[in-house]
Amino acid sequence: MRKVITIDVNGHLYQLDEQAYDDLRAYLAHAEARLGADPDRAEIIRDLEQSIGEKLLRYLSPEKSVVAASEVGQILQEIGPVDGVGADAPHTRAADASSGTGPAAQARRLYLIQDGAMIGGLCNGIAAYFQIDSTFVRFAFVVLAAIEMFYFERPPVVSAGLYAVLMFIVPYAKPFSERTAPGTHQSIPQKVRRRVERVKAAFGGLQHHTQ
Amino acid sequence: MATAHIQEKFASIRKGLLEFLILQMIASDKMYVAEMLQRLSTTEFATQEGTLYPLLSKMRREGAVDYDWQESEAGPPRKYYKLTAKGKAQLEELRDYWAYINQTLDSLGRGESCAKSSRSM
Protein backbone atom coordinates (compact mmCIF):
# COMPACT_ATOMS: atom_id res chain seq x y z
CA MET A 1 0.00 0.00 0.00
CA ARG A 2 1.36 3.44 -0.82
CA LYS A 3 0.13 6.91 0.00
CA VAL A 4 -1.02 8.96 -2.99
CA ILE A 5 -1.52 12.71 -2.93
CA THR A 6 -3.75 14.61 -5.33
CA ILE A 7 -2.47 18.04 -6.35
CA ASP A 8 -4.06 20.88 -8.27
CA VAL A 9 -1.70 22.43 -10.82
CA ASN A 10 -3.26 25.36 -12.68
CA GLY A 11 -6.74 23.83 -12.42
CA HIS A 12 -5.75 20.26 -13.33
CA LEU A 13 -5.63 17.43 -10.82
CA TYR A 14 -2.71 15.02 -10.75
CA GLN A 15 -1.93 12.12 -8.43
CA LEU A 16 1.61 11.79 -7.13
CA ASP A 17 3.15 9.33 -4.73
CA GLU A 18 4.19 10.85 -1.42
CA GLN A 19 7.90 11.19 -2.22
CA ALA A 20 7.13 12.72 -5.62
CA TYR A 21 4.88 15.26 -3.93
CA ASP A 22 7.55 16.13 -1.34
CA ASP A 23 10.17 16.56 -4.08
CA LEU A 24 7.90 18.76 -6.15
CA ARG A 25 6.91 20.89 -3.18
CA ALA A 26 10.57 21.28 -2.16
CA TYR A 27 11.49 22.33 -5.72
CA LEU A 28 8.77 24.99 -5.80
CA ALA A 29 9.70 26.21 -2.33
CA HIS A 30 13.33 26.56 -3.48
CA ALA A 31 12.17 28.31 -6.63
CA GLU A 32 10.20 30.83 -4.57
CA ALA A 33 13.17 31.38 -2.29
CA ARG A 34 15.52 31.91 -5.24
CA LEU A 35 13.14 34.38 -6.86
CA GLY A 36 13.11 36.35 -3.61
CA ALA A 37 11.57 39.76 -4.18
CA ASP A 38 11.16 39.33 -7.95
CA PRO A 39 7.97 41.29 -8.75
CA ASP A 40 6.87 38.55 -11.19
CA ARG A 41 7.49 35.72 -8.75
CA ALA A 42 3.88 34.48 -8.73
CA GLU A 43 3.72 34.51 -12.54
CA ILE A 44 7.05 32.66 -12.91
CA ILE A 45 5.88 30.02 -10.43
CA ARG A 46 2.62 29.66 -12.41
CA ASP A 47 4.64 29.23 -15.63
CA LEU A 48 6.78 26.58 -13.98
CA GLU A 49 3.71 24.82 -12.59
CA GLN A 50 2.07 24.81 -16.01
CA SER A 51 5.20 23.33 -17.54
CA ILE A 52 5.41 20.73 -14.76
CA GLY A 53 1.73 19.88 -15.33
CA GLU A 54 2.30 19.34 -19.07
CA LYS A 55 5.29 17.12 -18.34
CA LEU A 56 3.38 15.13 -15.70
CA LEU A 57 0.88 14.13 -18.41
CA ARG A 58 3.67 12.26 -20.21
CA TYR A 59 3.80 9.79 -17.35
CA LEU A 60 0.06 9.17 -17.14
CA SER A 61 -2.10 6.85 -19.19
CA PRO A 62 -5.42 5.01 -18.78
CA GLU A 63 -3.44 2.19 -17.10
CA LYS A 64 -1.23 4.46 -14.96
CA SER A 65 -2.78 7.18 -12.82
CA VAL A 66 0.02 7.98 -10.31
CA VAL A 67 3.32 9.75 -11.03
CA ALA A 68 6.33 8.29 -9.21
CA ALA A 69 9.18 10.16 -7.51
CA SER A 70 11.71 9.07 -10.16
CA GLU A 71 9.47 10.55 -12.86
CA VAL A 72 9.06 13.83 -11.01
CA GLY A 73 12.85 13.79 -10.55
CA GLN A 74 13.30 13.59 -14.32
CA ILE A 75 10.85 16.44 -14.87
CA LEU A 76 12.60 18.67 -12.33
CA GLN A 77 16.00 17.87 -13.81
CA GLU A 78 14.68 18.84 -17.22
CA ILE A 79 13.30 22.14 -15.95
CA GLY A 80 16.47 22.89 -14.02
CA PRO A 81 17.06 25.05 -10.97
CA VAL A 82 15.40 28.45 -10.94
CA ASP A 83 17.63 31.47 -11.24
CA GLY A 84 16.81 34.60 -9.34
CA VAL A 85 17.52 36.99 -12.21
CA GLY A 86 16.01 40.11 -10.72
CA ALA A 87 19.31 41.80 -11.45
CA ASP A 88 21.75 39.05 -12.42
CA ALA A 89 22.29 37.30 -15.70
CA PRO A 90 20.93 33.78 -16.05
CA HIS A 91 22.87 30.56 -15.65
CA THR A 92 23.25 28.31 -18.61
CA ARG A 93 23.16 24.57 -18.11
CA ALA A 94 26.92 24.35 -18.76
CA ALA A 95 27.58 27.00 -16.14
CA ASP A 96 25.37 25.19 -13.64
CA ALA A 97 27.20 21.95 -14.27
CA SER A 98 30.59 23.56 -13.79
CA SER A 99 29.75 25.68 -10.76
CA GLY A 100 27.70 23.03 -8.92
CA THR A 101 24.57 25.14 -8.51
CA GLY A 102 22.11 22.30 -9.18
CA PRO A 103 18.96 21.73 -7.10
CA ALA A 104 20.96 20.07 -4.34
CA ALA A 105 23.20 23.13 -3.98
CA GLN A 106 20.30 25.55 -3.54
CA ALA A 107 19.40 27.03 -0.16
CA ARG A 108 16.78 24.89 1.62
CA ARG A 109 13.98 26.32 3.71
CA LEU A 110 12.19 24.88 6.70
CA TYR A 111 8.40 24.69 6.40
CA LEU A 112 5.52 23.29 8.44
CA ILE A 113 4.02 20.47 6.38
CA GLN A 114 0.46 19.63 7.27
CA ASP A 115 -0.02 16.55 5.11
CA GLY A 116 0.22 13.61 7.49
CA ALA A 117 0.97 15.90 10.46
CA MET A 118 0.25 14.69 14.01
CA ILE A 119 0.34 18.11 15.68
CA GLY A 120 1.39 21.12 13.62
CA GLY A 121 3.54 19.60 10.87
CA LEU A 122 6.87 20.69 12.39
CA CYS A 123 8.37 17.16 12.58
CA ASN A 124 7.27 16.59 8.97
CA GLY A 125 8.95 19.84 7.95
CA ILE A 126 12.19 19.07 9.82
CA ALA A 127 12.21 15.58 8.27
CA ALA A 128 11.73 17.01 4.75
CA TYR A 129 14.49 19.56 5.40
CA PHE A 130 17.01 16.89 6.42
CA GLN A 131 15.52 14.34 4.00
CA ILE A 132 14.93 11.75 6.74
CA ASP A 133 11.86 9.82 7.94
CA SER A 134 9.53 12.01 10.04
CA THR A 135 9.18 9.13 12.56
CA PHE A 136 12.80 9.73 13.67
CA VAL A 137 12.10 13.42 14.27
CA ARG A 138 8.95 12.63 16.27
CA PHE A 139 10.91 10.03 18.23
CA ALA A 140 13.59 12.64 19.03
CA PHE A 141 10.91 14.99 20.42
CA VAL A 142 9.41 12.17 22.50
CA VAL A 143 12.86 11.24 23.87
CA LEU A 144 13.53 14.89 24.74
CA ALA A 145 10.16 15.13 26.53
CA ALA A 146 10.79 11.81 28.35
CA ILE A 147 14.24 13.01 29.54
CA GLU A 148 12.65 16.17 30.91
CA MET A 149 9.84 14.26 32.65
CA PHE A 150 11.78 11.32 34.09
CA TYR A 151 15.34 12.60 34.47
CA PHE A 152 14.69 16.24 35.41
CA GLU A 153 11.28 15.38 36.95
CA ARG A 154 9.42 18.34 35.49
CA PRO A 155 6.78 18.87 32.81
CA PRO A 156 8.26 18.80 29.25
CA VAL A 157 8.42 22.57 28.99
CA VAL A 158 11.58 22.76 26.85
CA SER A 159 10.43 20.27 24.21
CA ALA A 160 6.88 21.65 24.09
CA GLY A 161 8.17 25.24 24.22
CA LEU A 162 10.65 24.59 21.41
CA TYR A 163 7.88 23.05 19.34
CA ALA A 164 5.54 25.99 19.98
CA VAL A 165 8.21 28.61 19.19
CA LEU A 166 9.19 26.87 15.94
CA MET A 167 5.55 26.48 14.99
CA PHE A 168 5.15 30.19 15.47
CA ILE A 169 8.14 31.30 13.41
CA VAL A 170 8.33 28.64 10.67
CA PRO A 171 6.02 29.31 7.70
CA TYR A 172 3.52 26.84 6.29
CA ALA A 173 4.23 25.12 2.97
CA LYS A 174 1.08 26.18 1.14
CA PRO A 175 -0.64 24.04 -1.45
CA PHE A 176 0.11 25.14 -5.03
CA SER A 177 -3.34 26.52 -5.78
CA GLU A 178 -3.47 28.53 -2.54
CA ARG A 179 0.03 29.93 -3.03
CA THR A 180 -0.76 31.55 -6.36
CA ALA A 181 -4.39 32.52 -5.71
CA PRO A 182 -5.13 36.25 -5.74
CA GLY A 183 -6.10 37.99 -2.51
CA THR A 184 -4.00 35.78 -0.23
CA HIS A 185 -1.72 38.59 0.94
CA GLN A 186 -1.90 39.18 4.70
CA SER A 187 -0.78 42.13 6.81
CA ILE A 188 1.74 41.53 9.63
CA PRO A 189 -0.89 41.71 12.48
CA GLN A 190 -3.04 39.23 10.54
CA LYS A 191 -0.08 36.90 10.13
CA VAL A 192 0.82 37.10 13.85
CA ARG A 193 -2.81 36.46 14.85
CA ARG A 194 -3.05 33.52 12.47
CA ARG A 195 0.17 32.02 13.80
CA VAL A 196 -0.95 32.36 17.43
CA GLU A 197 -4.22 30.67 16.47
CA ARG A 198 -2.49 27.80 14.74
CA VAL A 199 -0.20 27.14 17.76
CA LYS A 200 -3.29 27.18 20.03
CA ALA A 201 -5.18 24.89 17.66
CA ALA A 202 -2.29 22.44 17.42
CA PHE A 203 -1.85 22.17 21.16
CA GLY A 204 -5.62 22.14 21.75
CA GLY A 205 -5.84 19.22 19.33
CA LEU A 206 -3.01 17.48 21.16
CA GLN A 207 -4.79 17.82 24.53
CA HIS A 208 -7.94 16.47 22.94
CA HIS A 209 -5.95 13.45 21.63
CA THR A 210 -4.41 12.70 25.01
CA GLN A 211 -7.64 12.92 26.99
CA MET B 1 33.68 21.55 -30.10
CA ALA B 2 35.53 23.44 -27.35
CA THR B 3 37.09 21.61 -24.41
CA ALA B 4 35.49 21.76 -20.96
CA HIS B 5 38.25 24.17 -19.90
CA ILE B 6 37.39 26.63 -22.67
CA GLN B 7 33.65 26.22 -22.02
CA GLU B 8 34.25 27.11 -18.39
CA LYS B 9 36.15 30.26 -19.41
CA PHE B 10 33.20 31.33 -21.54
CA ALA B 11 30.46 30.47 -19.00
CA SER B 12 29.76 34.06 -17.99
CA ILE B 13 29.86 35.25 -21.61
CA ARG B 14 27.28 32.62 -22.55
CA LYS B 15 25.09 33.78 -19.67
CA GLY B 16 25.26 37.37 -20.83
CA LEU B 17 24.51 36.45 -24.44
CA LEU B 18 21.33 34.52 -23.67
CA GLU B 19 19.24 37.69 -23.60
CA PHE B 20 20.65 38.73 -26.99
CA LEU B 21 19.86 35.27 -28.41
CA ILE B 22 16.26 35.42 -27.19
CA LEU B 23 15.76 38.77 -28.92
CA GLN B 24 17.40 37.32 -32.03
CA MET B 25 15.17 34.22 -32.03
CA ILE B 26 11.89 36.09 -31.68
CA ALA B 27 12.89 38.87 -34.10
CA SER B 28 11.37 37.14 -37.12
CA ASP B 29 8.41 35.38 -35.52
CA LYS B 30 6.80 34.98 -32.11
CA MET B 31 7.76 31.90 -30.21
CA TYR B 32 6.82 29.99 -27.06
CA VAL B 33 9.26 28.81 -24.43
CA ALA B 34 9.42 25.14 -25.50
CA GLU B 35 10.37 26.23 -29.04
CA MET B 36 13.12 28.51 -27.72
CA LEU B 37 14.50 25.67 -25.58
CA GLN B 38 14.36 23.32 -28.54
CA ARG B 39 16.27 25.72 -30.78
CA LEU B 40 18.87 26.44 -28.12
CA SER B 41 19.24 22.78 -27.13
CA THR B 42 21.52 21.93 -30.05
CA THR B 43 23.78 24.93 -29.45
CA GLU B 44 26.36 26.04 -26.90
CA PHE B 45 23.56 28.03 -25.26
CA ALA B 46 21.38 25.06 -24.23
CA THR B 47 19.36 26.17 -21.22
CA GLN B 48 16.33 25.20 -19.14
CA GLU B 49 12.95 26.57 -18.12
CA GLY B 50 14.24 27.37 -14.64
CA THR B 51 16.56 29.90 -16.28
CA LEU B 52 14.37 31.05 -19.15
CA TYR B 53 11.15 31.94 -17.31
CA PRO B 54 12.78 34.39 -14.87
CA LEU B 55 14.84 35.90 -17.71
CA LEU B 56 11.83 36.39 -20.00
CA SER B 57 9.93 37.90 -17.14
CA LYS B 58 12.76 40.38 -16.52
CA MET B 59 12.94 41.23 -20.24
CA ARG B 60 9.20 41.83 -20.26
CA ARG B 61 9.46 44.10 -17.25
CA GLU B 62 12.16 46.07 -19.06
CA GLY B 63 9.83 46.41 -22.06
CA ALA B 64 11.96 44.47 -24.59
CA VAL B 65 9.49 41.62 -25.09
CA ASP B 66 5.80 40.98 -24.58
CA TYR B 67 3.57 37.95 -25.01
CA ASP B 68 0.17 36.93 -26.33
CA TRP B 69 -1.79 33.91 -25.16
CA GLN B 70 -2.55 31.49 -27.97
CA GLU B 71 -4.60 28.32 -27.87
CA SER B 72 -2.65 25.13 -28.42
CA GLU B 73 -3.92 21.91 -29.96
CA ALA B 74 -1.74 19.84 -27.65
CA GLY B 75 -2.71 21.30 -24.29
CA PRO B 76 -3.38 24.53 -22.40
CA PRO B 77 -2.90 27.98 -24.01
CA ARG B 78 0.70 29.08 -24.46
CA LYS B 79 2.48 32.38 -24.06
CA TYR B 80 3.96 33.43 -27.40
CA TYR B 81 6.75 35.93 -26.90
CA LYS B 82 7.35 38.73 -29.40
CA LEU B 83 9.65 41.74 -29.73
CA THR B 84 8.41 45.18 -28.78
CA ALA B 85 9.61 48.36 -30.50
CA LYS B 86 12.02 48.83 -27.60
CA GLY B 87 13.21 45.22 -28.02
CA LYS B 88 13.82 45.79 -31.75
CA ALA B 89 15.93 48.86 -31.00
CA GLN B 90 17.81 46.93 -28.33
CA LEU B 91 18.48 44.08 -30.74
CA GLU B 92 19.89 46.48 -33.34
CA GLU B 93 22.14 47.98 -30.72
CA LEU B 94 23.27 44.55 -29.54
CA ARG B 95 24.01 43.42 -33.11
CA ASP B 96 26.11 46.54 -33.72
CA TYR B 97 27.97 46.06 -30.47
CA TRP B 98 28.56 42.38 -31.20
CA ALA B 99 29.95 43.26 -34.65
CA TYR B 100 32.19 45.85 -32.99
CA ILE B 101 33.47 43.28 -30.47
CA ASN B 102 34.23 40.83 -33.27
CA GLN B 103 35.99 43.55 -35.22
CA THR B 104 38.09 44.37 -32.15
CA LEU B 105 39.01 40.70 -31.70
CA ASP B 106 40.01 40.46 -35.35
CA SER B 107 42.05 43.65 -35.36
CA LEU B 108 43.88 42.73 -32.14
CA GLY B 109 44.60 39.31 -33.63
CA ARG B 110 45.98 40.94 -36.76
CA GLY B 111 48.06 43.27 -34.62
CA GLU B 112 49.60 40.27 -32.90
CA SER B 113 50.46 38.53 -36.18
CA CYS B 114 51.92 41.82 -37.57
CA ALA B 115 54.01 42.20 -34.41
CA LYS B 116 55.27 38.62 -34.77
CA SER B 117 56.16 39.05 -38.40
CA SER B 118 57.94 42.39 -37.74
CA ARG B 119 59.92 40.76 -34.89
CA SER B 120 60.96 37.93 -37.14
CA MET B 121 62.21 40.30 -39.81
Side-chain angles (χ1 to χ4, degrees):
Chain A
M1 189 176 75
R2 65 172 166 165
K3 190 170 172 185
V4 169
I5 294 167
T6 303
I7 60 165
D8 173 353
V9 180
N10 285 356
H12 289 86
L13 298 180
Y14 302 90
Q15 287 188 308
L16 307 183
D17 75 23
E18 197 174 8
Q19 186 60 52
Y21 171 77
D22 287 344
D23 294 347
L24 186 52
R25 194 191 44 227
Y27 173 85
L28 289 169
H30 290 155
E32 284 205 70
R34 287 295 293 262
L35 291 168
D38 190 308
D40 297 322
R41 187 168 68 160
E43 186 175 355
I44 296 168
I45 296 289
R46 267 200 303 275
D47 286 338
L48 288 168
E49 287 182 359
Q50 176 162 336
S51 174
I52 290 167
E54 285 174 29
K55 289 175 176 49
L56 285 171
L57 287 174
R58 279 190 218 155
Y59 297 99
L60 298 172
S61 67
E63 295 80 37
K64 185 173 176 297
S65 59
V66 180
V67 185
S70 59
E71 293 162 343
V72 163
Q74 281 172 27
I75 291 173
L76 298 181
Q77 200 156 9
E78 193 182 324
I79 290 177
V82 168
D83 280 309
V85 287
D88 299 324
H91 288 163
T92 62
R93 188 157 52 200
D96 279 339
S98 60
S99 63
T101 53
Q106 289 185 16
R108 284 185 288 176
R109 285 192 70 182
L110 180 61
Y111 287 101
L112 300 176
I113 300 172
Q114 285 178 300
D115 293 302
M118 292 187 79
I119 307 175
L122 179 66
C123 293
N124 264 349
I126 293 173
Y129 185 89
F130 291 109
Q131 295 177 342
I132 54 173
D133 192 317
S134 56
T135 309
F136 292 117
V137 185
R138 289 192 187 113
F139 185 65
F141 265 99
V142 171
V143 168
L144 183 62
I147 290 171
E148 280 191 84
M149 287 161 74
F150 300 112
Y151 185 76
F152 293 104
E153 294 179 350
R154 66 174 187 216
V157 281
V158 173
S159 45
L162 181 69
Y163 195 102
V165 168
L166 286 173
M167 244 199 101
F168 186 77
I169 58 176
V170 175
Y172 269 122
K174 292 179 189 168
F176 308 120
S177 49
E178 189 185 324
R179 185 162 352 104
T180 53
T184 52
H185 178 76
Q186 288 182 321
S187 66
I188 289 172
Q190 276 175 319
K191 280 183 183 167
V192 171
R193 209 175 307 130
R194 203 176 147 198
R195 285 177 183 211
V196 169
E197 277 166 11
R198 85 184 179 204
V199 174
K200 271 190 197 166
F203 280 86
L206 184 65
Q207 275 177 351
H208 183 72
H209 273 301
T210 52
Q211 273 168 13
Chain B
M1 185 67 182
T3 60
H5 176 64
I6 294 295
Q7 283 181 333
E8 169 72 31
K9 278 187 186 296
F10 277 75
S12 55
I13 293 175
R14 280 200 306 271
K15 276 188 214 176
L17 283 175
L18 197 51
E19 206 169 315
F20 180 16
L21 291 176
I22 292 171
L23 294 175
Q24 183 95 316
M25 279 192 294
I26 59 173
S28 51
D29 201 5
K30 48 187 168 186
M31 200 177 270
Y32 65 100
V33 165
E35 274 181 293
M36 292 182 204
L37 290 170
Q38 175 65 34
R39 286 192 63 183
L40 291 170
S41 67
T42 53
T43 71
E44 283 295 279
F45 299 90
T47 188
Q48 294 171 286
E49 279 145 295
T51 296
L52 218 48
Y53 282 124
L55 180 62
L56 283 166
S57 151
K58 182 186 86 113
M59 290 168 74
R60 183 167 173 255
R61 260 197 327 269
E62 290 170 354
V65 303
D66 201 0
Y67 63 72
D68 294 324
W69 284 101
Q70 275 188 23
E71 291 297 326
S72 130
E73 288 168 20
R78 291 168 174 156
K79 282 178 182 174
Y80 276 80
Y81 286 87
K82 59 184 181 186
L83 273 193
T84 60
K86 192 175 173 187
K88 274 180 197 151
Q90 206 177 84
L91 178 59
E92 283 309 310
E93 216 176 311
L94 281 165
R95 280 174 177 161
D96 288 347
Y97 187 55
W98 185 244
Y100 173 71
I101 288 175
N102 275 317
Q103 208 183 329
T104 308
L105 273 171
D106 282 350
S107 64
L108 285 174
R110 270 203 302 276
E112 189 188 55
S113 58
C114 286
K116 270 185 189 164
S117 56
S118 64
R119 271 203 300 275
S120 64
M121 277 166 69

